[in-house]
Amino acid sequence: MARRKKARPTRSIAALTELASSKIRPPVGIVLGSPAEVVDLAVALNTSEVVCYQMDLYLAEQLRNELAEYGLDAQVTTAPDLWDLSPDFQTVIYLPAQRGERQLKIDMVEQSFHILRPGGHFIVWSPYESDQAFPGWLKKVFGRVHAHAAGGATLLWCQRQGDRPRRRHEVTFQARVGDGPSLRFVSRPGVFSFGRFDDGARALVETMEVHPGDRVLDVGCGVGTNGVFAAQRSGPDGFTAFVDSNVRAVALAELNARANGVVNFQAVASARVEGVEGGFDVALANPPYYAYSSIARLFIERSRALLKPGGRFYLVTRQPRYVVPLVEEVFGEAKPVLRRGYTVLCAEAAG
């Protein structure tokens, strides 16, 4: 075990553990949060009975590495749904992002109820000093809610009483490209472009060239819109691989592929675009716009490695000045296509 390092104390964490000490009983579940926040909290809890839930394999990998640096035995687990975890927690602590998705916050509140033991405590560490949203959401699910402002944040806690039916938060939307048929897609909070066919994804699909029988790689697939539209063009003799680090996204991509009649496909959850065999004719990449270029570089390099000679690569971005050099470095040349306010970079894998 790595030697334990000195914890990085923060006033908010100190306030959380001080005010909620009487409510925190192991086993403890920590829901989402940045790796740094989760590690600080795990250090402060000082118990080995901690399970950290993440929806994204990339963040989960970062969290495991940081926990190991501190010599902590906390378990890190990923699943499409929080209620996939065993319903055996005495305490669940949710660390919502400051500008996080509203529907995801509601979803995590409702799902947290179902992994608590009867009488267990649910604690929300809101980053807002005056939180106007969580009290109402918590009251609807748990009933009585307690709140306390501390360290520039708000601490809210409540207790599970009784039972309630599970409610899955999802939105079904329809999308079509050109004169093609309208397709239906199920989306859920926490996955890119919740409830709609994003203009960037649409620009990518309108630009890509896919032939009957092509093998298509959809990197950063989200709910699978790009890969499903590509599968329409590649037909029954084609093949599509959906890859994403978000395990909920991969589950939805598989659901949507089957629902839209895609027969030959594979859905893979991977933080490193691994788990698929090469020899693809087309690679589609939709890296997150808010992330550092390291993710775009990963998508570009792994797509190139998995493409056959002459294979076609398409990447959509809002930051071409940062991404173009990366594509040119790996592929040698990148042709930009401007569409719907986005830039689609087109390249070919040399023989």
Side-chain angles (χ1 to χ4, degrees):
M1 181 182 294
R3 190 175 70 176
R4 185 186 180 99
K5 296 183 179 180
K6 184 178 179 180
R8 300 161 293 179
T10 64
R11 188 166 51 167
S12 296
I13 287 288
L16 169 64
T17 54
E18 179 181 352
L19 289 170
S21 59
S22 62
K23 307 290 186 291
I24 299 177
R25 294 286 183 272
V28 179
I30 302 177
V31 178
L32 302 179
S34 70
E37 290 174 328
V38 176
V39 168
D40 283 344
L41 178 54
V43 169
L45 291 174
N46 195 28
T47 175
S48 61
E49 295 183 79
V50 175
V51 176
C52 308
Y53 168 78
Q54 292 287 332
M55 202 177 290
D56 190 279
L57 293 173
Y58 187 82
L59 291 176
E61 181 180 286
Q62 286 185 311
L63 177 55
R64 287 190 186 96
N65 292 337
E66 292 201 26
L67 287 168
E69 289 181 8
Y70 279 76
L72 297 171
D73 293 329
Q75 177 186 345
V76 180
T77 186
T78 58
D81 284 297
L82 177 59
W83 59 38
D84 291 335
L85 276 61
S86 174
D88 195 38
F89 293 93
Q90 291 264 51
T91 310
V92 172
I93 303 173
Y94 178 29
L95 307 178
Q98 186 165 18
R99 289 179 292 275
E101 184 183 351
R102 178 179 182 273
Q103 290 298 323
L104 178 61
K105 294 175 181 178
I106 297 173
D107 190 31
M108 291 299 98
V109 167
E110 295 217 1
Q111 293 209 15
S112 292
F113 180 93
H114 296 283
I115 65 170
L116 279 167
R117 295 177 185 175
H121 283 93
F122 180 53
I123 299 171
V124 176
W125 175 38
S126 168
Y128 299 104
E129 187 169 11
S130 178
D131 195 303
Q132 303 298 316
F134 270 107
W137 299 334
L138 292 169
K139 184 175 182 180
K140 182 177 179 181
V141 175
F142 287 89
R144 189 175 181 183
V145 182
H146 306 271
H148 184 89
T154 301
L155 182 69
L156 306 102
W157 65 94
C158 41
Q159 193 171 19
R160 172 174 175 168
Q161 302 290 348
D163 205 354
R164 60 182 286 109
R166 293 188 176 189
R167 178 189 175 196
R168 189 181 293 280
H169 289 263
E170 61 186 28
V171 171
T172 300
F173 64 91
Q174 292 187 267
R176 63 185 300 171
V177 176
D179 296 329
S182 180
L183 304 181
R184 292 171 62 87
F185 296 91
V186 177
S187 65
R188 301 191 55 211
V191 176
F192 173 71
S193 192
F194 172 59
R196 63 192 179 91
F197 188 27
D198 172 71
D199 279 344
R202 184 179 290 276
L204 182 63
V205 170
E206 291 174 344
T207 305
M208 68 184 183
E209 181 182 331
V210 179
H211 303 147
D214 275 350
R215 286 173 49 85
V216 179
L217 173 67
D218 185 2
V219 184
C221 64
V223 302
T225 53
N226 302 345
V228 169
F229 280 116
Q232 273 195 318
R233 301 183 194 179
S234 64
D237 295 326
F239 173 83
T240 303
F242 300 89
V243 184
D244 204 297
S245 63
N246 186 308
V247 294
R248 176 174 282 187
V250 172
L252 287 168
E254 180 173 1
L255 173 70
N256 289 322
R258 295 189 188 281
N260 285 291
V262 182
V263 177
N264 299 318
F265 74 92
Q266 180 184 15
V268 178
S270 172
R272 304 288 173 184
V273 194
E274 297 170 335
V276 292
E277 295 185 6
F280 288 95
D281 301 284
V282 179
L284 310 174
N286 192 0
Y289 310 129
Y290 57 82
Y292 294 110
S293 60
S294 60
I295 297 181
R297 178 180 289 277
L298 172 67
F299 283 14
I300 294 164
E301 291 178 346
R302 289 299 296 149
S303 293
R304 174 63 185 88
L306 293 168
L307 280 169
K308 63 173 59 173
R312 302 175 297 282
F313 175 68
Y314 302 92
L315 180 148
V316 62
T317 182
R318 271 182 168 168
Q319 301 170 319
R321 68 182 226 173
Y322 299 110
V323 181
V324 168
L326 301 178
V327 177
E328 291 179 338
E329 178 184 335
V330 175
F331 284 89
E333 184 180 4
K335 175 186 174 184
V337 175
L338 303 180
R339 194 183 295 271
R340 298 184 179 273
Y342 291 80
T343 300
V344 180
L345 300 175
C346 311
E348 184 175 311

